[in-house]
Amino acid sequence: RKEVEQDPGPFNVPEGATVAFNCTYSNSASQSFFWYRQDCRKEPKLLMSVYSSGNEDGRFTAQLNRASQYISLLIRDSKLSDSATYLCVVSGDSNYQLIWGAGTKLIIKP
Amino acid sequence: ETGVTQSPTHLIKTRGQQVTLRCSSQSGHNTVSWYQQALGQGPQFIFQYYREEENGRGNFPPRFSGLQFPNYSSELNVNALELDDSALYLCASSLQGIVGTEAFFGQGTRLTVV
């Protein structure tokens, strides 16, 4: 079983729709959680950290469920510019290590 | 732009050769992490340097080595290149070697081994 698992997609979604991604992780000791966004042939960029109580940043909402060991990302009112690969990232056993999922590809259609 | 720069942006090497990739960290950041990203995969952690010392290492063989300089810039060296080393190599700059602080990535070096 992979340490961090994501549905690879692609998710084909019409503009304006709401889309949700889930990510499961295997290490119950993980303490830090992030969503990164990566455009085609570009570097990853931090979208948002994920906090225990859940957090929102504009159209983006992140949730953490420690009991079931998954995190989620909800995108409301999707825009064409949201098309990208979304990477789920969790901390490992050591405080320096980040473990990355393979990413979920999102395609927003006009 | 993040202020993290990597060079070169693209590189083609022959199997068995050696390569050095370079990364300049963002001003004020003292930690550099290196990742390997194969096509269609997430980044895989190679190692991290904090204040010129290796702070941790992922599951990569010893032919992957690195350095960090007093100005916190860093190098990744790969010896005896193999075809499977073909990937995007990313460096990430952060403040302190502590997970939870935001990491800023360079644009990456795309290495092709033929």
Side-chain angles (χ1 to χ4, degrees), chain B residues 49-69:
Chain B
Y49 279 83
Y50 171 58
R51 292 186 172 179
E52 302 179 58
E53 300 220 352
E54 187 178 289
N55 190 40
R57 189 179 184 92
N59 189 25
F60 279 79
R63 57 189 186 84
F64 285 79
S65 62
L67 282 174
Q68 188 178 33
F69 301 99

mmCIF file of all heavy atoms in Angstrom, chain B residues 49-69:
data_model
loop_
_atom_site.group_PDB
_atom_site.id
_atom_site.type_symbol
_atom_site.label_atom_id
_atom_site.label_comp_id
_atom_site.label_asym_id
_atom_site.label_seq_id
_atom_site.Cartn_x
_atom_site.Cartn_y
_atom_site.Cartn_z
ATOM 1 N N TYR B 49 19.223 19.464 3.324
ATOM 2 C CA TYR B 49 20.369 20.100 3.962
ATOM 3 C C TYR B 49 19.902 21.276 4.793
ATOM 4 O O TYR B 49 19.096 22.099 4.351
ATOM 5 C CB TYR B 49 21.392 20.562 2.913
ATOM 6 C CG TYR B 49 22.257 19.416 2.472
ATOM 7 C CD1 TYR B 49 21.821 18.533 1.481
ATOM 8 C CD2 TYR B 49 23.484 19.169 3.072
ATOM 9 C CE1 TYR B 49 22.599 17.466 1.101
ATOM 10 C CE2 TYR B 49 24.268 18.092 2.696
ATOM 11 C CZ TYR B 49 23.804 17.250 1.711
ATOM 12 O OH TYR B 49 24.576 16.180 1.337
ATOM 13 N N TYR B 50 20.415 21.316 6.006
ATOM 14 C CA TYR B 50 20.073 22.384 6.947
ATOM 15 C C TYR B 50 21.376 22.895 7.524
ATOM 16 O O TYR B 50 22.132 22.135 8.136
ATOM 17 C CB TYR B 50 19.161 21.834 8.043
ATOM 18 C CG TYR B 50 18.891 22.768 9.202
ATOM 19 C CD1 TYR B 50 18.327 24.011 8.996
ATOM 20 C CD2 TYR B 50 19.187 22.380 10.508
ATOM 21 C CE1 TYR B 50 18.059 24.865 10.060
ATOM 22 C CE2 TYR B 50 18.931 23.217 11.572
ATOM 23 C CZ TYR B 50 18.368 24.462 11.348
ATOM 24 O OH TYR B 50 18.108 25.303 12.403
ATOM 25 N N ARG B 51 21.643 24.168 7.287
ATOM 26 C CA ARG B 51 22.883 24.779 7.780
ATOM 27 C C ARG B 51 24.101 23.940 7.416
ATOM 28 O O ARG B 51 24.929 23.626 8.267
ATOM 29 C CB ARG B 51 22.803 24.999 9.282
ATOM 30 C CG ARG B 51 21.784 26.056 9.666
ATOM 31 C CD ARG B 51 21.817 26.375 11.131
ATOM 32 N NE ARG B 51 20.968 27.512 11.448
ATOM 33 C CZ ARG B 51 20.786 28.011 12.663
ATOM 34 N NH1 ARG B 51 21.406 27.457 13.693
ATOM 35 N NH2 ARG B 51 19.999 29.040 12.859
ATOM 36 N N GLU B 52 24.186 23.593 6.156
ATOM 37 C CA GLU B 52 25.334 22.930 5.525
ATOM 38 C C GLU B 52 25.502 21.462 5.904
ATOM 39 O O GLU B 52 26.497 20.848 5.514
ATOM 40 C CB GLU B 52 26.631 23.689 5.837
ATOM 41 C CG GLU B 52 26.598 25.143 5.372
ATOM 42 C CD GLU B 52 27.877 25.893 5.715
ATOM 43 O OE1 GLU B 52 28.944 25.447 5.270
ATOM 44 O OE2 GLU B 52 27.787 26.914 6.439
ATOM 45 N N GLU B 53 24.544 20.889 6.629
ATOM 46 C CA GLU B 53 24.675 19.477 6.989
ATOM 47 C C GLU B 53 23.456 18.699 6.485
ATOM 48 O O GLU B 53 22.335 19.229 6.476
ATOM 49 C CB GLU B 53 24.786 19.318 8.506
ATOM 50 C CG GLU B 53 25.965 20.037 9.091
ATOM 51 C CD GLU B 53 26.652 19.224 10.174
ATOM 52 O OE1 GLU B 53 26.117 18.178 10.576
ATOM 53 O OE2 GLU B 53 27.730 19.652 10.622
ATOM 54 N N GLU B 54 23.678 17.455 6.109
ATOM 55 C CA GLU B 54 22.560 16.623 5.687
ATOM 56 C C GLU B 54 21.675 16.349 6.906
ATOM 57 O O GLU B 54 22.122 15.822 7.925
ATOM 58 C CB GLU B 54 23.054 15.303 5.077
ATOM 59 C CG GLU B 54 21.909 14.498 4.463
ATOM 60 C CD GLU B 54 22.382 13.205 3.800
ATOM 61 O OE1 GLU B 54 23.024 13.279 2.739
ATOM 62 O OE2 GLU B 54 22.091 12.130 4.355
ATOM 63 N N ASN B 55 20.427 16.687 6.753
ATOM 64 C CA ASN B 55 19.476 16.646 7.859
ATOM 65 C C ASN B 55 18.553 15.432 7.779
ATOM 66 O O ASN B 55 17.793 15.161 8.688
ATOM 67 C CB ASN B 55 18.652 17.933 7.821
ATOM 68 C CG ASN B 55 17.799 18.119 9.052
ATOM 69 O OD1 ASN B 55 18.230 17.834 10.160
ATOM 70 N ND2 ASN B 55 16.569 18.562 8.851
ATOM 71 N N GLY B 56 18.618 14.722 6.681
ATOM 72 C CA GLY B 56 17.752 13.573 6.505
ATOM 73 C C GLY B 56 17.859 13.093 5.081
ATOM 74 O O GLY B 56 18.226 13.858 4.179
ATOM 75 N N ARG B 57 17.529 11.821 4.856
ATOM 76 C CA ARG B 57 17.698 11.225 3.546
ATOM 77 C C ARG B 57 16.560 10.264 3.261
ATOM 78 O O ARG B 57 16.107 9.544 4.163
ATOM 79 C CB ARG B 57 19.035 10.488 3.505
ATOM 80 C CG ARG B 57 19.428 9.998 2.142
ATOM 81 C CD ARG B 57 20.771 9.295 2.177
ATOM 82 N NE ARG B 57 21.158 8.915 0.831
ATOM 83 C CZ ARG B 57 21.904 9.672 0.022
ATOM 84 N NH1 ARG B 57 22.366 10.835 0.448
ATOM 85 N NH2 ARG B 57 22.209 9.266 -1.189
ATOM 86 N N GLY B 58 16.113 10.257 2.020
ATOM 87 C CA GLY B 58 15.109 9.294 1.592
ATOM 88 C C GLY B 58 15.760 8.021 1.085
ATOM 89 O O GLY B 58 16.951 7.781 1.295
ATOM 90 N N ASN B 59 14.993 7.215 0.394
ATOM 91 C CA ASN B 59 15.446 5.906 -0.041
ATOM 92 C C ASN B 59 16.164 5.984 -1.395
ATOM 93 O O ASN B 59 15.684 5.471 -2.398
ATOM 94 C CB ASN B 59 14.244 4.954 -0.129
ATOM 95 C CG ASN B 59 14.657 3.534 -0.355
ATOM 96 O OD1 ASN B 59 15.768 3.145 -0.010
ATOM 97 N ND2 ASN B 59 13.780 2.755 -0.954
ATOM 98 N N PHE B 60 17.286 6.663 -1.402
ATOM 99 C CA PHE B 60 18.092 6.799 -2.622
ATOM 100 C C PHE B 60 19.494 6.275 -2.351
ATOM 101 O O PHE B 60 20.015 6.426 -1.243
ATOM 102 C CB PHE B 60 18.149 8.276 -3.062
ATOM 103 C CG PHE B 60 16.923 8.711 -3.821
ATOM 104 C CD1 PHE B 60 15.753 9.031 -3.159
ATOM 105 C CD2 PHE B 60 16.936 8.758 -5.209
ATOM 106 C CE1 PHE B 60 14.612 9.403 -3.859
ATOM 107 C CE2 PHE B 60 15.812 9.139 -5.924
ATOM 108 C CZ PHE B 60 14.646 9.460 -5.236
ATOM 109 N N PRO B 61 20.128 5.661 -3.369
ATOM 110 C CA PRO B 61 21.462 5.068 -3.160
ATOM 111 C C PRO B 61 22.528 6.140 -2.935
ATOM 112 O O PRO B 61 22.312 7.318 -3.253
ATOM 113 C CB PRO B 61 21.709 4.304 -4.467
ATOM 114 C CG PRO B 61 20.845 4.979 -5.473
ATOM 115 C CD PRO B 61 19.630 5.450 -4.733
ATOM 116 N N PRO B 62 23.701 5.719 -2.445
ATOM 117 C CA PRO B 62 24.781 6.666 -2.137
ATOM 118 C C PRO B 62 25.305 7.432 -3.342
ATOM 119 O O PRO B 62 25.947 8.468 -3.166
ATOM 120 C CB PRO B 62 25.876 5.763 -1.553
ATOM 121 C CG PRO B 62 25.162 4.571 -1.055
ATOM 122 C CD PRO B 62 23.997 4.370 -1.984
ATOM 123 N N ARG B 63 25.021 6.953 -4.554
ATOM 124 C CA ARG B 63 25.526 7.702 -5.713
ATOM 125 C C ARG B 63 24.787 9.044 -5.871
ATOM 126 O O ARG B 63 25.182 9.866 -6.686
ATOM 127 C CB ARG B 63 25.431 6.858 -6.986
ATOM 128 C CG ARG B 63 24.053 6.364 -7.326
ATOM 129 C CD ARG B 63 24.091 5.340 -8.488
ATOM 130 N NE ARG B 63 22.727 4.987 -8.879
ATOM 131 C CZ ARG B 63 22.018 5.711 -9.719
ATOM 132 N NH1 ARG B 63 22.548 6.787 -10.290
ATOM 133 N NH2 ARG B 63 20.786 5.359 -10.024
ATOM 134 N N PHE B 64 23.731 9.228 -5.092
ATOM 135 C CA PHE B 64 23.082 10.538 -4.980
ATOM 136 C C PHE B 64 23.695 11.225 -3.763
ATOM 137 O O PHE B 64 23.563 10.739 -2.625
ATOM 138 C CB PHE B 64 21.577 10.397 -4.782
ATOM 139 C CG PHE B 64 20.815 10.009 -6.004
ATOM 140 C CD1 PHE B 64 20.797 8.690 -6.435
ATOM 141 C CD2 PHE B 64 20.101 10.956 -6.729
ATOM 142 C CE1 PHE B 64 20.099 8.319 -7.576
ATOM 143 C CE2 PHE B 64 19.387 10.583 -7.864
ATOM 144 C CZ PHE B 64 19.388 9.269 -8.294
ATOM 145 N N SER B 65 24.390 12.325 -3.989
ATOM 146 C CA SER B 65 25.019 13.037 -2.882
ATOM 147 C C SER B 65 24.773 14.532 -3.044
ATOM 148 O O SER B 65 24.356 14.991 -4.108
ATOM 149 C CB SER B 65 26.518 12.752 -2.829
ATOM 150 O OG SER B 65 27.147 13.219 -4.012
ATOM 151 N N GLY B 66 25.058 15.270 -1.990
ATOM 152 C CA GLY B 66 24.773 16.693 -2.057
ATOM 153 C C GLY B 66 25.711 17.522 -1.211
ATOM 154 O O GLY B 66 26.567 16.999 -0.478
ATOM 155 N N LEU B 67 25.530 18.815 -1.356
ATOM 156 C CA LEU B 67 26.299 19.792 -0.590
ATOM 157 C C LEU B 67 25.424 20.995 -0.335
ATOM 158 O O LEU B 67 24.542 21.305 -1.153
ATOM 159 C CB LEU B 67 27.519 20.276 -1.392
ATOM 160 C CG LEU B 67 28.760 19.412 -1.501
ATOM 161 C CD1 LEU B 67 29.732 20.062 -2.466
ATOM 162 C CD2 LEU B 67 29.400 19.221 -0.136
ATOM 163 N N GLN B 68 25.683 21.675 0.769
ATOM 164 C CA GLN B 68 25.093 22.986 0.948
ATOM 165 C C GLN B 68 26.209 23.942 1.325
ATOM 166 O O GLN B 68 27.088 23.601 2.128
ATOM 167 C CB GLN B 68 24.008 22.981 2.027
ATOM 168 C CG GLN B 68 23.254 24.314 2.092
ATOM 169 C CD GLN B 68 22.150 24.329 3.124
ATOM 170 O OE1 GLN B 68 22.249 23.693 4.168
ATOM 171 N NE2 GLN B 68 21.082 25.070 2.845
ATOM 172 N N PHE B 69 26.173 25.127 0.770
ATOM 173 C CA PHE B 69 27.239 26.107 0.951
ATOM 174 C C PHE B 69 26.850 27.137 2.013
ATOM 175 O O PHE B 69 25.680 27.231 2.399
ATOM 176 C CB PHE B 69 27.548 26.770 -0.396
ATOM 177 C CG PHE B 69 27.983 25.775 -1.437
ATOM 178 C CD1 PHE B 69 27.092 25.292 -2.387
ATOM 179 C CD2 PHE B 69 29.281 25.293 -1.456
ATOM 180 C CE1 PHE B 69 27.478 24.357 -3.331
ATOM 181 C CE2 PHE B 69 29.683 24.365 -2.400
ATOM 182 C CZ PHE B 69 28.776 23.890 -3.331
#
